Amino acid sequence: MNKLALPNRILKSVDKPARYIGHEVNAVYKDPEGLIRFAMCFPDLYEIGMSHLGIQLLYDMFNSYDDVWCERVYAVWTDLYDIMKEEEIPLFALESQDEISKFDFLGITLQYEMCYTNILQILDLSGIPFYSDQRDNDDPIVICGGPCTYNPEPVADFFDLVYIGEGETIYRPLLDLYKECKNNGYDRKEFIHKAACLPGIYAPSCYKATYNDDNTLKQFMPLYDDIPSRIEKEIVTDLSGSCYPLKPVVPYIKATQDRVVLEIQRGCIRGCRFCQAGSVYKPIRSRDEKKLEEYAKQMIINTGHEEISLSSLSSSDYPELYKLCDFLINEFSERHINISLPSLRVDAFSLDVMSKVQDIKKSVITFAPEAGSQRMRNVINKGLTKEDIMEGCRKAFIGGWTRVKLYFMLGLPFETEEDMIGIAELSNDIAKLYYDTIPKEERKTKVSIVSSTSFFVPKPFTPFQWAKMNTMDEFRYKAHVVNTAMKQQLNHKSIKYNWHAADVSVLEGVFARGDRRLSKVLEIAYKKGCMFDAWTENFRFEPWEEAFSEADIDPSFYYNRERDTDELLPWDFIDTGVTKEFLKREYLNAKEGKVTPNCREKCSGCGVAKYHGGVCIESKN
Amino acid sequence: MKVRIRFSKSGALVYIGHLDVMRYFQKLFRRANIPVAYSEGFSPHQILSFTPPLPLGMESTGEYADVELTKPVVTKEALSALALQSVPEIEILSFKELPPKCESAMASVAAARYSVGSNTGDDIIKLAGIISSFKEADEVRIVKKTKKNEKEVNIRPLVYELCYVKESNELEMLISSGSTDNIKPEYVIEGLLSIADESICSDELIFKRIDQYARIDEKLVSLDEIGCDIL
């Protein structure tokens, strides 16, 4: 059990060797004899991947099966990558330290577009051919899942199978099918074809895409009669009844999320028009509060973590939040276990809870207005008014908070210069509010407002999926407009303004709405050394520019082009439940600045009611 | 009450750094339900301290942590609770109450015992042959390199014991350690080689820390022998 794939000499020379050794508390070890070997991969650094709840959930579920051993594998950092390439050391799984190429399955989660080159690092180091059609019977079945699979086309050629939707439902039947095929003279192609008949499973090699002269998609067709032309996402209708990882693996080195994570609900009622997660995870489904209490207790005992955090897209929309917070505070505060409550709306309740669980002097009040003007917030259907923000801040200032963080986006559709300047004005108004609210003699410190803008990237299955994304120059100009406006504000000394890099956003934009022809670009970029592109210190734009030009692909076709709403989109073969008609309607509403109520206020007929789950059946129970 | 824990570190876990070992113990105490005392203030932390960091990659059977408890736990029960919750590569070897006003493990370390082995074996025999001349020498000077500078030191008076163990084909040494006159076992190997003007591939040597000692009344006493079991 103490076998290590890397020799002492290498482990002593690389940064944080603990990334590569396994043996953590709650890691699962099995006798591999006769088991299906599944390598579960997060294609980024160990510290990032270990913080991901989805992987912990699937790891736990797979290992609860007697006939499966699921192990973990992550991308290796560049120092070890160079050594492994140089010495031809194959990539290995953390638990058994066995080579990935010996596994039955390699499952890769796709959480963000900028990890796509890391997929190729994993395949390359494992000695698995990049393209599905180059693999033979001895190679593992390479499958992916996660949010980016709502448009898997840019990476489709690298995968044998793509799992569309929530992972809890179809893996068991898929594994059973694999066993059956293994027992009957296994043929890789045959298995892939049969898997494509399962709900939620997309086998890219079983579909053919053809293109028009103007490069738009002409046709997307299944190659066999027995597989569906549209693939419906998988969804857990009864979230409370599904599994939960009560014994998550506890890393030795500090992971990004070094805490117990309680997923309180999945999905969102809000309908923000820029948000892909809010759309594809519909309808919102809550976990039973009593069960969550029990999970929290057990997970703290099983891990020894000193912090517990709630996870959801918008915690304030959890119906029993008050009860759950009350329980957590009573149960854990005395035991020196910190409680962290992200994605909470700032109001009297949340301020009260925060004052109980955090040091006010150190904690920061966070708002995500996303846009600077009310007009723009209506365009994106962000149900947060200036009054909400000001009232939340006023209460927070009276409560003793002095630090406010604001998140905005630049480059949203239908944006005007006024909307940009609105970002600076709102920041200034909040600073002014502090000085108006707190009398001079009671001020212990200056107020600190940190405003950040990211650049808007249109995503599939949102009402903005047809929108034109800004160019790098436009982005830089807009950041300059905001920055200049910031400096002109009366309270500019209390405000700090940050903006993101434009080049990474543009790449993200290309791959978010790309098609199959982009896999070539990824391959060329990887061969030029692109890896860990989500890491600022590692990101270089020039090789990407070369890669596009060598592949003879114009990136602006993908990001800087408004699509006709009748155009066949590369991801149209996926059915998320939300209808195209609804998205078109929402695009129009955005143009007109018309607000759509949230799912609890009024059903807007998006289409997901067909799943008969969550909020769609709440009032009917 | 203050308790001293002796533990070993082996296998894959030799690649876990000092800070991560500290974090590991904080979580281990929670899992094993050991009533550890916390500091005051807004971000309370466990009152816990360790002996000096073990170099990354080195095994040890003599690591120590001192921890403050809010109430006593019987040694036998604490050991079984900790064993149940710990990974096999970190084994808790003892759990003893410290006498009042006892100096912390960190501050009291004065010496450490190491073994040195090698996969090839020949190197150790070569080194063993130099031991007697090393012991006879009045001075053995080596260059101590730190990040900032280089300094020549005489390590001879800092090596208290040095012998060859035939059964295991290893060298064993007891050398000065801690905040004053700290030397690494590698320095002794360097010293031996300099005397005989020999060379070996030092990458192939395997160092292991066996135990750590405090100086009490001019005698070196294992840190493990200072406390008593809680009955």
Side-chain angles (χ1 to χ4, degrees):
Chain A
M1 173 159 154
N2 261 315
K3 172 185 149 190
L4 289 173
L6 299 169
N8 187 34
R9 163 180 61 83
I10 294 177
L11 284 165
K12 276 168 94 164
S13 71
V14 296
D15 189 32
K16 296 197 183 155
R19 287 166 177 161
Y20 312 113
I21 60 169
H23 292 89
E24 304 95 326
V25 168
N26 297 334
V28 177
Y29 285 81
K30 293 187 178 185
D31 176 358
E33 188 57 38
L35 301 187
I36 300 175
R37 306 280 303 267
F38 198 110
M40 182 69 76
C41 174
F42 192 109
D44 207 315
L45 211 50
Y46 175 89
E47 293 94 308
I48 310 291
M50 280 300 288
S51 306
H52 187 248
L53 177 65
I55 293 266
Q56 296 267 16
L57 215 149
L58 292 178
Y59 181 79
D60 185 76
M61 183 186 84
F62 276 117
N63 281 320
S64 74
Y65 303 149
D66 287 337
D67 55 348
V68 180
W69 184 13
C70 177
E71 304 181 42
R72 293 158 298 143
V73 59
Y74 300 96
V76 303
W77 191 241
T78 49
D79 56 350
L80 180 58
Y81 173 80
D82 292 341
I83 297 173
M84 289 174 80
K85 285 292 273 186
E86 168 79 30
E87 302 193 17
E88 294 178 8
I89 300 170
L91 188 65
F92 51 90
L94 292 189
E95 282 81 354
S96 65
Q97 302 270 314
D98 287 342
E99 292 175 28
I100 298 299
S101 58
K102 305 271 187 286
F103 278 64
D104 297 286
F105 285 88
L106 169 60
I108 302 180
T109 181
L110 303 182
Q111 296 291 320
Y112 31 85
E113 291 81 3
M114 297 319 291
C115 73
Y116 286 174
T117 48
N118 284 16
I119 300 169
L120 299 179
Q121 186 215 64
I122 304 281
L123 293 173
D124 186 14
L125 289 178
S126 301
I128 301 170
F130 286 163
Y131 293 95
S132 172
D133 60 11
Q134 293 167 354
R135 295 176 195 141
D136 61 34
N137 278 354
D138 293 332
D139 287 311
I141 293 292
V142 186
I143 181 169
C144 63
C148 289
T149 57
Y150 286 101
N151 176 23
E153 291 305 275
V155 291
D157 291 343
F158 305 139
F159 289 95
D160 303 316
L161 300 173
V162 179
Y163 187 125
I164 292 165
E166 295 169 354
E168 286 102 331
T169 54
I170 294 297
Y171 270 117
R172 190 61 258 182
L174 182 69
L175 294 167
D176 290 336
L177 176 68
Y178 180 75
K179 274 167 85 170
E180 190 192 304
C181 290
K182 274 276 166 179
N183 291 337
N184 294 299
Y186 178 73
D187 175 71
R188 181 185 182 82
K189 275 211 168 100
E190 187 192 330
F191 168 69
I192 291 172
H193 178 181
K194 282 184 173 167
C197 303
L198 288 172
I201 299 293
Y202 164 51
S205 62
C206 298
Y207 294 79
K208 189 172 167 55
T210 53
Y211 301 90
N212 295 310
D213 291 340
D214 65 358
N215 273 327
T216 55
L217 192 60
K218 185 178 184 186
Q219 240 190 352
F220 189 85
M221 292 287 286
L223 295 172
Y224 306 99
D225 292 338
D226 58 350
I227 61 171
S229 54
R230 278 195 96 200
I231 295 163
E232 195 173 349
K233 77 169 179 194
E234 276 301 299
I235 176 172
V236 181
T237 34
D238 174 21
L239 196 61
S240 287
S242 81
C243 55
Y244 203 74
L246 299 180
K247 291 184 96 179
V249 179
V250 184
Y252 293 107
I253 48 175
K254 206 162 169 42
T256 315
Q257 290 246 26
D258 181 33
R259 52 183 79 101
V260 164
V261 179
L262 269 189
E263 183 195 38
I264 57 175
Q265 57 191 1
R266 207 175 279 179
C268 188
I269 59 171
R270 297 275 149 190
C272 299
R273 294 182 181 126
F274 56 85
C275 180
Q276 187 188 39
S279 173
V280 298
Y281 296 126
K282 273 181 166 184
I284 197 169
R285 289 143 292 148
S286 310
R287 287 189 189 265
D288 177 63
E289 195 273 337
K290 274 274 161 275
K291 275 193 176 171
L292 289 173
E293 289 185 10
E294 201 45 49
Y295 293 170
K297 281 197 268 191
Q298 287 191 37
M299 289 172 79
I300 287 287
I301 293 170
N302 291 341
T303 59
H305 278 313
E306 43 273 291
E307 186 166 328
I308 185 160
S309 171
L310 303 185
S311 162
S312 78
L313 291 169
S314 165
S315 300
S316 297
D317 295 325
Y318 182 64
E320 292 177 286
L321 185 67
Y322 193 87
K323 200 173 161 204
L324 182 63
C325 287
D326 226 35
F327 165 81
L328 294 175
I329 292 168
N330 290 333
E331 179 77 18
F332 296 127
S333 289
E334 289 298 296
R335 291 158 57 190
H336 306 288
I337 291 162
N338 298 323
I339 298 158
S340 102
L341 304 165
S343 16
L344 267 193
R345 195 167 43 233
V346 178
D347 57 19
F349 161 70
S350 63
L351 290 172
D352 178 52
V353 173
M354 284 184 346
S355 68
K356 284 179 189 156
V357 301
Q358 293 167 355
D359 182 356
I360 292 175
K361 277 184 295 220
K362 286 184 199 148
S363 72
V364 185
I365 297 293
T366 307
F367 290 94
E370 310 293 3
S373 68
Q374 192 56 50
R375 187 196 76 84
M376 201 62 215
R377 283 194 292 275
N378 292 347
V379 167
I380 61 176
N381 204 41
K382 179 84 193 180
L384 183 70
T385 63
K386 185 170 178 189
E387 289 68 44
D388 295 335
I389 299 168
M390 296 306 266
E391 187 51 23
C393 284
R394 198 182 60 81
K395 289 200 175 96
F397 293 149
I398 291 169
W401 278 272
T402 57
R403 294 165 64 191
V404 179
K405 247 193 225 170
L406 301 168
Y407 291 107
F408 299 96
M409 279 186 280
L410 281 176
L412 287 160
F414 318 117
E415 182 181 52
T416 65
E417 199 137 318
E418 261 167 53
D419 302 314
M420 300 169 215
I421 293 167
I423 294 173
E425 287 171 348
L426 182 62
S427 309
N428 184 65
D429 289 348
I430 294 171
K432 181 174 181 299
L433 179 73
Y434 174 79
Y435 297 113
D436 291 348
T437 311
I438 307 296
K440 206 168 187 175
E441 57 279 11
E442 287 173 31
R443 290 178 211 152
K444 292 190 186 75
T445 165
K446 236 171 52 169
V447 68
S448 138
I449 316 280
V450 178
S451 295
S452 307
T453 58
S454 60
F455 296 119
F456 172 64
V457 178
K459 295 275 164 108
F461 297 107
T462 67
F464 295 154
Q465 65 176 354
W466 296 283
K468 180 175 176 173
M469 184 175 150
N470 284 166
T471 62
M472 266 185 267
D473 287 342
E474 285 168 325
F475 278 141
R476 286 180 188 133
Y477 170 72
K478 289 182 176 185
H480 172 73
V481 168
V482 178
N483 198 29
T484 310
M486 285 285 184
K487 285 182 186 148
Q488 288 162 356
Q489 301 301 313
L490 207 58
N491 293 297
H492 68 93
K493 283 188 174 155
S494 303
I495 308 169
K496 191 175 174 339
Y497 172 54
N498 303 317
W499 62 95
H500 282 209
D503 43 11
V504 187
S505 304
V506 162
L507 274 187
E508 195 186 324
V510 170
F511 290 105
R513 294 187 293 170
D515 58 37
R516 283 191 180 189
R517 293 168 295 189
L518 289 175
S519 52
K520 266 273 161 286
V521 178
L522 287 166
E523 187 191 354
I524 298 170
Y526 171 73
K527 287 184 172 159
K528 288 179 182 292
C530 292
M531 244 187 286
F532 290 102
D533 296 294
W535 295 71
T536 320
E537 71 262 42
N538 235 53
F539 180 76
R540 290 178 306 135
F541 192 61
E542 302 72 44
W544 281 102
E545 287 179 305
E546 291 164 24
F548 279 109
S549 126
E550 283 170 36
D552 197 21
I553 282 177
D554 174 14
S556 67
F557 171 77
Y558 294 101
Y559 81 96
N560 190 229
R561 174 174 73 91
E562 172 152 12
R563 282 111 169 123
D564 192 283
T565 50
D566 292 328
E567 181 178 326
L568 180 63
L569 301 171
W571 52 92
D572 274 348
F573 72 95
I574 295 172
D575 175 8
T576 69
V578 174
T579 61
K580 208 166 187 178
E581 287 64 43
F582 173 77
L583 294 177
K584 283 182 189 170
R585 210 153 70 219
E586 280 294 278
Y587 196 30
L588 273 179
N589 286 338
K591 250 181 219 168
E592 293 162 12
K594 269 199 348 221
V595 170
T596 299
N598 76 47
C599 297
R600 285 217 171 90
E601 288 167 352
K602 183 176 173 285
C603 174
S604 301
C606 72
V608 300
K610 69 174 176 180
Y611 295 117
H612 304 289
V615 68
C616 304
I617 53 166
E618 258 172 28
S619 52
K620 294 165 189 130
N621 274 344
Chain B
M1 81 191 314
K2 228 179 182 79
V3 161
R4 177 162 296 166
I5 287 168
R6 177 180 182 167
F7 64 96
S8 67
K9 196 177 166 200
S10 65
L13 263 66
V14 300
Y15 298 105
I16 306 297
H18 189 65
L19 286 174
D20 296 327
V21 169
M22 291 170 67
R23 283 166 19 85
Y24 173 81
F25 270 90
Q26 289 164 2
K27 292 182 200 286
L28 172 64
F29 290 142
R30 291 168 185 282
R31 289 194 300 273
N33 216 4
I34 304 293
V36 178
Y38 282 76
S39 65
E40 300 289 319
F42 230 116
S43 46
H45 52 270
Q46 295 185 355
I47 303 176
L48 176 64
S49 69
F50 287 78
T51 40
L54 186 69
L56 213 61
M58 194 187 287
E59 271 194 40
S60 174
T61 53
E63 298 303 296
Y64 293 89
D66 288 351
V67 58
E68 182 80 32
L69 300 186
T70 56
K71 56 177 189 247
V73 190
V74 174
T75 294
K76 229 177 118 184
E77 286 167 14
L79 286 177
S80 67
L82 289 165
L84 202 64
Q85 294 299 336
S86 191
V87 292
E89 297 87 350
I90 285 185
E91 201 183 344
I92 315 300
L93 304 169
S94 72
F95 184 95
K96 292 177 179 175
E97 181 179 1
L98 289 173
K101 289 184 188 159
C102 173
E103 209 178 3
S104 75
M106 179 70 171
S108 58
V109 171
R113 188 181 295 280
Y114 293 91
S115 68
V116 191
S118 167
N119 286 331
T120 61
D122 297 349
D123 287 344
I124 298 299
I125 293 168
K126 196 189 263 180
L127 288 164
I130 319 168
I131 290 178
S132 53
S133 0
F134 183 94
K135 284 183 168 171
E136 280 159 22
D138 297 328
E139 267 196 349
V140 179
R141 295 201 163 266
I142 62 126
V143 180
K144 197 172 167 179
K145 288 186 194 107
T146 65
K147 272 177 198 151
K148 284 183 194 136
N149 56 2
E150 291 186 4
K151 198 170 77 180
E152 210 186 57
V153 278
N154 175 17
I155 60 164
R156 180 61 196 93
L158 305 177
V159 179
Y160 309 131
E161 290 174 22
L162 180 61
C163 63
Y164 171 65
V165 184
K166 203 174 169 199
E167 297 75 48
S168 54
N169 191 32
E170 284 175 339
L171 300 188
E172 202 173 296
M173 60 177 87
L174 179 67
I175 58 177
S176 176
S177 180
S179 46
T180 52
D181 295 329
N182 185 51
I183 60 166
K184 295 178 183 173
E186 287 90 338
Y187 296 168
V188 179
I189 303 300
E190 214 180 297
L192 283 167
L193 294 171
S194 73
I195 288 176
D197 205 16
E198 287 266 15
S199 67
I200 55 163
C201 177
S202 58
D203 273 358
E204 282 165 17
L205 294 180
I206 302 158
F207 293 91
K208 183 174 166 185
R209 195 188 261 174
I210 297 170
D211 200 1
Q212 300 180 79
Y213 302 80
R215 183 168 277 117
I216 297 172
D217 303 329
E218 297 303 309
K219 268 196 196 143
L220 290 176
V221 179
S222 164
L223 289 179
D224 202 16
E225 282 165 28
I226 292 166
C228 300
D229 279 355
I230 307 166
L231 301 170

